[in-house]
Amino acid sequence: MMGRGDIEGLVQRMQTLRSELPEAEAKDARRGLPQRIHEALSAFGNRRGGGFIVFGLEDVSFRTVGGLDVGQLQHQLTSLVDQRLSYPLRLEFATCEVDDHTVLAVHVPECPPVHKPVYYRNKGLIGGSYLRVGNSNHVLSEAEVRALLRASDRDRSDILPVEEAQMSDLEATHIDAYRATLEARKPTSGLLGLSNDELLRSVQAIVRIGDRDVPTTAGVLFFTSDPTRWLPGAFISVLQFSGTEIAGAAAGSGVYLDNRRLSGPLPIVVEQARLAVLARIRKRALLEGFVRREIPEYPDWAYREAIVNAVAHRDYGITGSHTQLRLFADRLEVQSPGGLFGTVSEQNIESEQSTRNHAVVRLLEDHGLVEQRDIGVNRMVQEMLRAGLRRPLFQDALTSFSVVLENHTMMDDDAYLWLSNFAEYPLKDAQRIALVYGWRTGSLANRDYVRLNSVTSVRATQDLRGLVGLGILQQHGTRGSAFYTLAPLSRRKGGRRARRIWGQEESVLTQVRSRGRITNAEGRDLLGIHDVHEMRRILRRMVKLGLLSQRGTSKQRTYYEVGPNAK
């Protein structure tokens, strides 16, 4: 059940960010039920975890407006869901007073997977199915609808027969290599005593059709020299760019550095892809005594696991798409056909496990490429964090899934400069990391703290409350909807140096708010500082904090206005 604190938390977040949320949409509704409300109902019904529609909020500032006919809205919504949606979502309603006005919050539950996508009957399955993407509703394409329909049940595409292939296409060389690997890794396996045909049947590499054996998708992937003869998308492309964007590569502007196509038995392709990445990423030298050690810009386990997961969990029913590795100056992207499967979502991918291709995963496991099915992603995250890098980004687009590894650290020089403002505080390293995350993103929640530092939710709550107690963070909302933002300077408590720094910043902000702008010279006069470089450091620090915004293109014309975090 939704409580008052949950509703207030959603409203406060939208008002603070001046934006709708991935899990919440705002509606005015003073003139009745909005005309396109079916889009939000379908989008949240197809979203992992569902979502909320909050009626009684103005569209731009998200201030409460009042004037709602709550009873009529509930009746109209219930009727629309029952009569116009493909599945009768059971809505949950709650009202409360926020800023002296009544708001109506509606929880839209996630539709059961077997009934997805839930769609608006008037427009039909194609054209009437929506999904929440960021803070907006996206109409699903025909391909996305098909992908969602496939994901609603167990995908068996890896054990479907490839009827054009013959048993003779399964080469003894690859079968013998599998036996050798199996004997080395699992010497007591009962598979070792089977004939080749019995072995292939046991691992679902072949299936009986009528009076003959036929290779399956898994069989073609592991035991033929060129799976693309039958499965055109069964290869990995390695693309390297000199910059940070794809744009311009096709035009021959020089940013497109390399294009390599890797095909063959799946275990060989995975190793080739790993070596291709290793050969192309930068390394930095570290001297340990008299020994020079090279450290790659991405942890080996992280990109290896991303590659293995891409081939293990891709949708082999999508025959026209292939797995891609894209190397940019600032990141590595691994994209595979097909979205996340079963109960796995972007939010729970570190803890939830749902296997699309059981035969493929089993064979990868026998080859030593899948160690433990339930720890790979979690370890990928930990390896990135241990290397001082940002957490991997997981992006589910229904028809594809991407893992993005960024090579720039969250704790860069700018972050350490900003953290110097808290030098006199008794902070833990985990709290410093969380503060930098909040500084970069604008807000911080308990779940962010848990993921950033691999601690329990209870520990995260204690540490965040400690930051609130110091006046560094301020809390918005309660319980599950609580989030935190950096507190205004005047609320922060600290040592003498911290108070002096913030006192200077408060003085500068007061003048900027009064006059609209400030220059370096005006700042020196205000603070009684004679050194132009010292004043520049203060102004630049305030820009980093988002307290000021720099304007002008030269020293003579540079001035500063109020920044986004000081408004």
Side-chain angles (χ1 to χ4, degrees), residues 368-401:
L369 296 173
V370 174
E371 298 293 340
Q372 288 180 279
R373 300 191 188 190
D374 56 347
I375 67 167
V377 173
N378 184 270
R379 182 174 169 184
M380 182 200 305
V381 172
Q382 298 309 314
E383 291 290 337
M384 289 290 286
L385 294 177
R386 270 194 286 270
L389 300 171
R390 297 183 183 182
R391 301 177 64 83
L393 301 177
F394 303 105
Q395 301 171 340
D396 183 16
L398 290 184
T399 54
S400 67
F401 176 71

Side-chain angles (χ1 to χ4, degrees), residues 257-268:
L257 296 180
D258 197 6
N259 179 9
R260 180 167 298 196
R261 173 181 167 131
L262 307 176
S263 62
L266 211 50
I268 294 175

